């Protein structure tokens, strides 16, 4: 871990990619703010600009690099006296010093394992050093950290593990995030307890594959379940090691976390989505974890066994459906979501139809779909990328429209119901106020999420600040993307 003296000036972080990068940006913000720097509202106001980039698809890399170009252009407009600029995240980790070749004007590069060095890096660059780079993987066997948040927050991301050992054939993440390592249960529970003491009421436990949390940590506290019975096969933590259901139960029962209201997690792999984890979704009186949100993101990637096999996913559709059926049996209101890749090498129209059939069968609330993008160094990059760009796009659009019809039906089914939401901020949809004939002087539209992870736009008639509040709201309308709700007058505020 590096050290840096107190610092001044303003920084701006532009984040691309998944929640892992979002959580990392929050950590960068907290680290720089701790040193005395201020967060700028816009890149134009900053003396330090950081791009936290994603490499999961080629398009993502282009986005980060074109953003870099436009920041450099902004600096040129300021006569070269503008901010120093750095690139971090998965882009920094993967491309390292090559980034200086591509963009010689870039001042610094850092990776996913060197975020804590950021104040030191910025200090060195501000003192005139150029091309400062910290992008090695941390080679130590253990993973220990403390979550850092900036300001008051009701919701926080908590990294519980890092890396990925799954090596799906298309995926670059194992190369940008390194080998799997888990924090200990004791450390995570104490960490969440300190967040709860700061006002956090909802945590999302983060990892590329949280189901395999605990692999390599010995279960010295003899927590239950001692061993996992995976639906598909014996992978992930073994008997005598810590595991993810133990962590959920430890968080749910630790008195220091009593004020925590919701526990979420992402992301999961079907291969080690165990019976014991499914059992955590049961009602508390039936042995479930009381504060586990009724939501699951379980990426399936394709509805075709042939494609799944080529993707190196090591499971089939029948076993995936069996997992979801068991989950719904225990928790009928669970909201489910998934990731799909269309146009993987050799994917036929018949394979694609099987994916649509799976969407019909499982009725996801949300599907995140992507066109396959060949990534250098992955096993799939050696297969012929034989589905044309236009067919990939057609399939992607078709799938998204198909899913919209499913989601809209599910969402409309919620109209008239009362649901609890955590308000996460003001909505971009302030225009909803005019439409509803409410006094725009006092009313505001807020956005929040239900326990099952549906986005709710809430019209509040009063000017009070609802940020971070848990509210019971009545659903008044629905689209395929979100629910609309109105706060009733005199409504009880739960938190
Ligand atoms: N660890 C997470 C996913 C990380 S990447 C998990 O397994 O759930 C997020 C999603 O990006 C993946 O689920 C996959 O759907 C998509 N993805 C990954 N590599 C891709 C590629 N080469 N082309 C297109 N989509 C990809
Ligand atoms: Fe990538 Fe597969 Fe690991 Fe997810 S589980 S990060 S898709 S290699
Ligand atoms: Fe992208 Fe890295 Fe996440 S490659 S998807 S930001 S782990």
């Amino acid at each position: 871990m590096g050290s840096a003296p107190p610092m001044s000036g303003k920084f701006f972080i532009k984040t691309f990619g998944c929640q892992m990068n979002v959580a990392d940006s929050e950590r960068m913000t907290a680290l720089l703010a701790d040193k005395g720097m201020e967060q700028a509202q816009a890149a134009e106001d900053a003396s330090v600009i950081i791009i936290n980039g994603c490499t999961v698809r080629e398009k993502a890399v282009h986005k980060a690099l074109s953003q870099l170009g436009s920041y450099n252009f902004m600096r040129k407009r300021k006569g070269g006296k503008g901010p120093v600029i750095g690139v971090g995240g998965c882009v920094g980790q993967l491309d390292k010093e090559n980034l200086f070749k591509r963009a010689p004007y870039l001042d610094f590069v850092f990776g996913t394992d060197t975020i804590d060095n950021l104040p030191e890096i910025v200090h060195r660059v501000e003192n005139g050093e150029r091309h400062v780079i910290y992008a090695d993987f941390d080679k130590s066997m253990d993973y220990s950290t403390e979550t850092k948040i900036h300001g008051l927050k009701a919701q926080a991301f908590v990294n519980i593990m890092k890396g990925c050992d799954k090596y799906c054939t298309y995926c670059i993440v194992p190369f940008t995030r390194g080998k799997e390592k888990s924090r200990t249960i004791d450390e995570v529970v104490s960490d969440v307890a300190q967040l709860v003491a700061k006002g956090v009421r909802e945590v999302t436990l983060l990892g590329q594959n949280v189901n395999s949390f605990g692999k390599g940590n010995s279960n010295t506290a003899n927590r239950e379940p001692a061993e996992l019975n995976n639906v598909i096969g014996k992978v992930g933590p073994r008997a005598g090691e810590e595991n993810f259901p133990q962590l959920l139960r430890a968080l749910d029962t630790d008195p220091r976390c009593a004020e925590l209201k919701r526990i979420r997690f992402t992301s999961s792999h079907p291969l080690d989505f165990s019976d014991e984890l499914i059992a955590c979704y049961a009602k508390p009186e039936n042995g479930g974890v009381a504060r586990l949100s009724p939501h699951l993101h379980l990426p399936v990637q394709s509805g075709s066994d042939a494609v799944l096999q080529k993707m190196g996913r090591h499971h089939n559709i029948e076993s995936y459906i069996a997992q979801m059926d068991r989950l719904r049996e225990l928790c009928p209101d669970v909201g489910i979501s998934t990731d799909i890749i269309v146009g993987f090498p050799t994917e036929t129209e018949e394979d694609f139809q099987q994916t649509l059939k799976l969407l019909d069968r499982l009725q996801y609330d949300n599907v995140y779909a992507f066109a396959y993008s060949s990534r250098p160094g992955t096993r799939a990059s050696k297969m012929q990328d034989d589905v044309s760009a236009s067919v990939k796009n057609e399939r992607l659009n078709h799938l998204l429209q198909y899913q919209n019809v499913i989601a809209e039906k599910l969402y409309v089914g919620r109209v008239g119901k009362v649901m609890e939401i955590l308000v996460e901020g003001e909505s971009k949809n302030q225009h909803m106020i005019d439409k509803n004939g409410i006094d725009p002087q006092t009313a505001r539209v807020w956005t929040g999420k239900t326990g099952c992870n549906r986005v709710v736009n809430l019209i509040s008639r009063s000017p009070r600040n609802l940020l971070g509040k848990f509210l019971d709201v009545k659903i008044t309308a629905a689209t395929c993307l979100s629910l609309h709700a109105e706060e009733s007058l005199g409504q009880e505020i739960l938190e």
Side-chain angles (χ1 to χ4, degrees), residues 56 163-174 180 208-209 267-269 299 301 311-313 339 341:
V56 78
C164 181
D165 291 345
K166 287 282 183 290
Y167 289 93
C168 303
T169 59
Y170 50 81
C171 185
I172 197 122
V173 170
E180 241 172 64
Q208 288 302 340
N209 175 24
S267 188
S268 320
H269 191 298
Q301 313 298 357
M311 287 177 161
R313 296 286 289 177
D339 291 347
I341 297 176

Side-chain angles (χ1 to χ4, degrees), residues 4 18 44 70 98 106 117 153 222 230 250 261 283 294 337 342 393 424 457 466 480:
C18 67
E44 282 76 10
S70 67
N98 289 333
L106 184 63
N117 296 101
K153 291 211 157 54
N222 290 322
N230 298 306
K261 291 196 65 136
K283 291 204 173 78
S337 55
V342 298
N393 268 332
E424 293 180 3
N457 287 307
L466 298 182
C480 59

Side-chain angles (χ1 to χ4, degrees), residues 147-411:
T147 305
K148 289 184 176 293
I149 54 170
H150 181 62
L152 282 175
K153 291 211 157 54
Q155 197 281 342
F157 291 116
V158 175
N159 281 310
I160 59 166
M161 60 174 306
K162 62 177 170 183
C164 181
D165 291 345
K166 287 282 183 290
Y167 289 93
C168 303
T169 59
Y170 50 81
C171 185
I172 197 122
V173 170
F175 305 95
T176 67
R177 295 271 168 182
K179 285 206 75 58
E180 241 172 64
K181 290 180 208 170
S182 297
R183 298 171 69 189
T184 62
I185 292 180
D186 281 344
E187 186 187 288
V188 175
V189 174
S190 305
D191 193 29
V192 172
Q194 60 98 13
L195 293 172
V196 171
K198 288 181 187 161
V200 168
R201 295 292 175 263
E202 174 180 307
V203 287
T204 302
L205 307 174
L206 275 189
Q208 288 302 340
N209 175 24
V210 295
N211 310 162
S212 64
F213 167 87
K215 205 165 73 175
N217 294 350
S218 53
N219 179 14
T220 41
N222 290 322
R223 292 190 171 93
E224 295 285 344
E227 191 177 2
L228 298 182
N229 175 22
N230 298 306
V231 181
I232 294 165
K234 287 261 175 271
V235 287
R238 295 157 208 263
E241 295 185 328
E242 294 191 328
N243 59 49
F244 189 57
Q246 289 171 5
L247 172 63
L248 292 177
R249 293 184 183 282
L251 282 171
D252 202 42
T253 50
D254 193 288
R256 295 169 297 163
C257 300
E259 287 182 76
L260 187 67
K261 291 196 65 136
R262 283 181 181 169
I263 306 171
R264 299 185 186 278
F265 63 87
T266 195
S267 188
S268 320
H269 191 298
L271 194 55
D272 36 21
F273 190 65
S274 64
D275 288 354
E276 290 76 11
L277 179 51
I278 296 175
C280 294
Y281 282 91
K283 291 204 173 78
E285 57 272 28
N286 296 330
V289 170
R291 282 166 295 166
L292 177 62
S293 285
H295 169 244
L296 172 71
H297 182 65
L298 192 63
V300 67
Q301 313 298 357
S302 168
S304 151
D305 283 339
V307 174
L308 283 183
Q309 207 216 339
K310 291 184 190 120
M311 287 177 161
R313 296 286 289 177
H314 303 290
H315 68 87
N316 59 29
I317 290 303
E318 195 189 338
S319 59
Y320 181 91
I321 291 176
Q323 287 171 319
M324 290 308 216
D325 284 352
R326 206 174 304 191
L327 174 72
R328 282 208 164 118
E329 225 173 84
L330 293 181
C331 183
D333 287 334
V334 67
I336 59 171
S337 55
T338 200
D339 291 347
I340 302 275
I341 297 176
V342 298
F344 186 78
T346 76
E347 186 189 68
T348 61
E349 185 56 32
E350 168 59 24
D351 291 322
F352 176 65
Q353 290 300 327
Q354 287 181 21
T355 300
L356 298 182
K357 209 170 119 198
L358 183 74
L359 302 191
D360 269 336
R361 170 68 170 80
L362 288 178
Q363 301 283 299
Y364 291 104
D365 290 270
N366 240 319
V367 172
Y368 303 89
F370 313 98
Y372 170 71
S373 163
S374 174
R375 309 306 296 126
T378 59
R379 281 183 287 159
S381 70
K382 294 176 190 80
M383 303 175 193
Q384 199 190 342
D385 191 0
D386 58 356
V387 181
S388 70
S390 63
V391 170
K392 280 181 191 162
N393 268 332
E394 267 166 37
R395 287 184 188 162
L396 185 62
N397 289 332
H398 186 147
L399 185 141
L400 291 171
Q401 279 170 20
Y402 198 86
Q403 171 57 25
N404 276 352
V405 176
I406 294 176
E408 187 156 356
K409 264 194 217 140
L410 290 174
Y411 280 39

